[in-house]
Amino acid sequence: MSNNLYTPILAFLLTFWLASCSDVLDKEPLGVLDANNYFKTAEDAVQGVNATYKPLLMNNANNNFYWVFGTLASEEALAGGDGSRPGIIEVDIMKHTAATQEINDFWKLNYAGIVQANTVITKTPQVNADADFKNRIIGEALFLRSYYHFILVQVFGDVPLIVEIQAPDEVRVARTPKAEVLARVAADCELAASFLPVSYTGADVGRATKGAALALAAKAYLYLQDYNSVLSRIADVKALGIYALQQDYRNNFYDSTQNNSESVWEIQHENLELGVGNFLNQWWLSKKVQDGYGFCEVSMDFVNAFEPNDPRLKFTVARHNEPYFGVTYKASFSSTGASPRKYLQNSSEVTQKSDGSINYTAIRYADVLLWEAEALAELGRTAEALVPLETVRARARAQAADPANTLPAITTTDKTELINIIRHERLVELGFEMHRFFDLVRWGIAPDVINGFVAGKNEVFPIPQTELDLNPNLSQNPGY
């Protein structure tokens, strides 16, 4: 949790932002309406950039369904619940359309963030403050704009690249090739890293840091298959000297141990009954538990993917007769007999079930180490790739009941074999952290793994029909 970074900060600014979410392309840009008058003081700039973080939140107000695309669309999970969210079921069975509500909501949410980021980037130079402060604010906004563009590319492929304040007729532009968007993400993150501090203290914990920007640049290069650049940016992340795996894997998912040494980019949530809590605490909790919706269930494919006695299975998945957030889990709690644990907490820790205080760590250091292993393996430097891979496995091994006979060190230097092992390690290390579907797609193996996946179509999701109606310059993805 954070202290107050994402709490309501300025009534006028939030009112504008919420209105922009409803139809961002039809609104006069903030820069035209009020930014010239508003961005005068350092506090104005802080409030402006704070508002740029709000689309990150996984809460009911945002309807942020990134988890549906990253996790539920993969083989990790199955849609549960009571059927009240048909779009979730559509994505699960690969029957979604341009009218699926969750897809429409995701597009608008992230472009609202981009509009706000562009306003901050454009207007902060006019603020009466010192240069270092203004550069930090611009660095935060550059990073956030990059992150929003990056996840839009993950979901939709080619998307409009919007990097300045635009009037409504100017926003109606064609889609930019995803490689160009990713290259801009990498470049902007490298620039942002030059502006951002290594860390923050107090109420500022949770803001974008130098390490977060460098890591997102590395991830963009990974998607571009520019493996040498991946390694260069990861070397920069490591050189900061502040990141390390937690001794206890579970520390990444406890309220009391968040924003730790393994956290590279962590999206803050807080139980304040002010709409800044994590709704996964309710949406992923079994519907057999009070106030749980059970929209996400664990597949047996995921359960069976773990090597014998890997402790990460119990850390990630609840099964029959295991403790489960104040109750004892029963096989009847889901259609598969298993439910996710991550991002959930006991009722005693929150005042509202939908207002959880568990953050979403979008980039963990374990993820970065596995990018490093993957990039090295892809370059044929397989012996070197074993080092970061072993670092991740060693942490899990140490938490096993019988470490000497669990998760043996990988020794193969065969390139194909090692790449497959690293891919498997990402599944079990990062399960239910919203990476799996996108990994399968970028590796080109989604049709072999996901039931109902149509090659040449389901690598991306459809552009929302409402956006096509608003913007005649947009084109639809193939197959939709």
Side-chain angles (χ1 to χ4, degrees):
M1 64 185 291
S2 67
N3 290 319
N4 59 17
L5 176 58
Y6 301 167
T7 55
I9 52 177
L10 188 68
F12 175 80
L13 189 57
L14 293 184
T15 299
F16 175 87
W17 182 84
L18 290 170
S20 73
C21 284
S22 65
D23 201 353
V24 65
L25 295 183
D26 272 354
K27 298 292 182 183
E28 279 293 305
L30 178 59
V32 172
L33 287 177
D34 60 14
N36 286 325
N37 294 324
Y38 176 71
F39 278 82
K40 297 296 185 183
T41 68
E43 183 61 21
D44 292 342
V46 170
Q47 302 294 0
V49 80
N50 283 359
T52 314
Y53 285 85
K54 288 188 68 64
L56 299 171
L57 294 173
M58 294 190 182
N59 59 12
N60 287 317
N62 277 350
N63 282 329
N64 187 345
F65 289 102
Y66 184 61
W67 63 271
V68 172
F69 310 117
T71 289
L72 196 61
S74 77
E75 89 287 18
E76 286 181 324
L78 301 172
D82 60 2
S84 61
R85 298 294 309 206
I88 289 176
I89 299 172
E90 291 169 7
V91 172
D92 178 35
I93 62 175
M94 294 285 123
K95 296 296 183 183
H96 45 272
T97 71
T100 298
Q101 186 62 47
E102 289 75 8
I103 295 172
N104 182 55
D105 289 343
F106 190 76
W107 177 284
K108 290 188 175 184
L109 177 66
N110 287 284
Y111 273 109
I114 289 168
V115 167
Q116 182 64 22
N118 284 334
T119 300
V120 174
I121 292 165
T122 302
K123 300 301 178 181
T124 295
Q126 73 189 29
V127 166
N128 183 20
D130 68 76
D132 287 346
F133 170 82
K134 290 192 285 188
N135 283 341
R136 193 208 86 191
I137 296 296
I138 291 169
E140 289 182 64
L142 277 170
F143 171 81
L144 292 169
R145 186 179 72 187
S146 297
Y147 182 74
Y148 294 134
H149 275 114
F150 181 85
I151 60 178
L152 283 165
V153 165
Q154 284 184 305
V155 173
F156 298 107
D158 300 346
V159 295
L161 176 63
I162 309 296
V163 294
E164 58 187 17
I165 296 174
Q166 295 175 313
D169 59 332
E170 296 172 329
V171 172
R172 292 185 173 90
V173 296
R175 298 160 68 190
T176 305
K178 64 181 181 181
E180 185 177 332
V181 179
L182 291 170
R184 181 60 184 262
V185 166
D188 280 354
C189 282
E190 289 167 341
L191 176 60
S194 71
F195 294 153
L196 291 169
V198 173
S199 62
Y200 298 89
T201 59
D204 288 325
V205 170
R207 294 186 183 278
T209 63
K210 186 183 297 289
L214 292 169
L216 185 56
K219 191 170 185 179
Y221 285 128
L222 186 70
Y223 275 63
L224 289 167
Q225 299 183 337
D226 181 352
Y227 300 118
N228 284 308
S229 293
V230 173
L231 295 176
S232 293
R233 295 293 76 78
I234 290 175
D236 292 338
V237 171
K238 288 183 164 185
L240 297 176
I242 64 170
Y243 299 112
L245 299 186
Q246 288 285 290
Q247 185 175 9
D248 188 340
Y249 178 94
R250 293 167 293 185
N251 283 351
N252 297 296
F253 309 100
Y254 290 150
D255 181 23
S256 60
T257 50
Q258 301 186 111
N259 297 304
N260 57 48
S261 65
E262 194 166 339
S263 170
V264 180
W265 168 227
E266 186 163 334
I267 295 168
Q268 310 292 302
H269 293 91
E270 192 163 5
N271 174 231
L272 294 174
E273 299 185 21
L274 291 172
V276 293
N278 191 337
F279 73 166
L280 296 181
N281 189 47
Q282 181 170 54
W283 286 64
W284 283 16
L285 184 71
S286 169
K287 64 182 179 180
K288 295 296 183 71
V289 178
Q290 184 177 0
D291 296 325
Y293 289 170
F295 281 119
C296 187
E297 300 180 347
V298 177
S299 74
M300 285 301 99
D301 285 342
F302 180 74
V303 171
N304 294 332
F306 286 82
E307 295 171 65
N309 303 315
D310 187 337
R312 292 172 294 188
L313 175 57
K314 284 193 174 184
F315 298 160
T316 305
V317 179
R319 292 187 292 170
H320 188 61
N321 282 342
E322 293 179 349
Y324 183 66
F325 307 104
V327 301
T328 299
Y329 191 91
K330 298 298 180 182
S332 61
F333 280 17
S334 86
S335 66
T336 65
S339 293
R341 291 187 180 277
K342 291 176 179 177
Y343 316 115
L344 307 186
Q345 54 196 137
N346 288 333
S347 296
S348 61
E349 297 181 29
V350 295
T351 56
Q352 291 180 343
K353 185 62 71 176
S354 63
D355 205 37
S357 57
I358 304 298
N359 298 338
Y360 169 54
T361 306
I363 302 177
R364 284 202 282 126
Y365 189 55
D367 195 6
V368 175
L369 290 174
L370 291 174
W371 297 341
E372 182 182 29
E374 181 178 341
L376 287 166
E378 290 285 358
L379 291 170
R381 296 163 59 180
T382 53
E384 294 172 78
L386 295 175
V387 177
L389 174 62
E390 171 59 17
T391 301
V392 173
R393 287 175 65 85
R395 190 259 301 270
R397 183 186 308 122
Q399 290 195 260
D402 181 14
N405 295 298
T406 303
L407 298 170
I410 304 300
T411 58
T412 183
T413 55
D414 178 82
K415 179 177 178 178
T416 299
E417 185 179 2
L418 183 57
I419 287 172
N420 287 332
I421 289 170
I422 293 167
R423 290 176 177 181
H424 175 268
E425 194 66 25
R426 287 188 60 80
L427 171 63
V428 295
E429 171 67 26
L430 303 167
F432 286 81
E433 296 181 40
M434 309 174 207
H435 304 300
R436 181 60 175 175
F437 177 82
F438 306 122
D439 277 348
L440 293 173
V441 168
R442 70 183 178 85
W443 293 330
I445 61 174
D448 303 325
V449 178
I450 300 173
N451 290 333
F453 189 101
V454 177
K457 173 185 177 181
N458 291 135
E459 288 83 0
V460 290
F461 293 84
I463 305 300
Q465 187 60 49
T466 54
E467 301 302 322
L468 294 171
D469 294 340
L470 285 168
N471 182 0
N473 296 311
L474 284 179
S475 58
Q476 184 56 277
N477 280 319
Y480 295 104

